[in-house]
Amino acid sequence: MADHVYKHIELTGTSTKSIEDAVNNALARAAKTVRNMRWMQIVETRGHVDNGAVSHWQVTIKVGFTLED
């Protein structure tokens, strides 16, 4: 495994379905403009409650990507 230098960004994804879907939505959108994503870390999870149930998820993640030469 080669040595790498990583840059990381913070993203917040949303979903009405699930936490996992919110994470995947953030990653899918970032993948349109960010190359070489290698890892992610969930930083914060929030939800909107409506009538006693979660109606919307917000998940903030850090995403690390390798820098290009």
Side-chain angles (χ1 to χ4, degrees):
M1 178 180 206
D3 293 332
H4 296 288
V5 172
Y6 295 93
K7 180 168 179 69
H8 55 90
I9 56 175
E10 201 166 85
L11 305 167
T12 300
T14 64
S15 172
T16 57
K17 296 177 186 177
S18 68
I19 293 169
E20 185 176 352
D21 198 47
V23 170
N24 286 325
N25 287 341
L27 291 171
R29 176 57 187 89
K32 292 180 181 180
T33 57
V34 178
R35 293 185 303 277
N36 303 319
M37 290 189 292
R38 301 291 185 232
W39 57 265
M40 69 90 184
Q41 171 188 358
I42 294 176
V43 176
E44 186 175 23
T45 305
R46 294 179 300 279
H48 180 257
V49 178
D50 214 0
N51 294 322
V54 176
S55 63
H56 202 95
W57 293 100
Q58 288 186 332
V59 181
T60 300
I61 60 175
K62 283 186 181 179
V63 178
F65 55 96
T66 53
L67 298 174
E68 294 179 346
D69 291 330

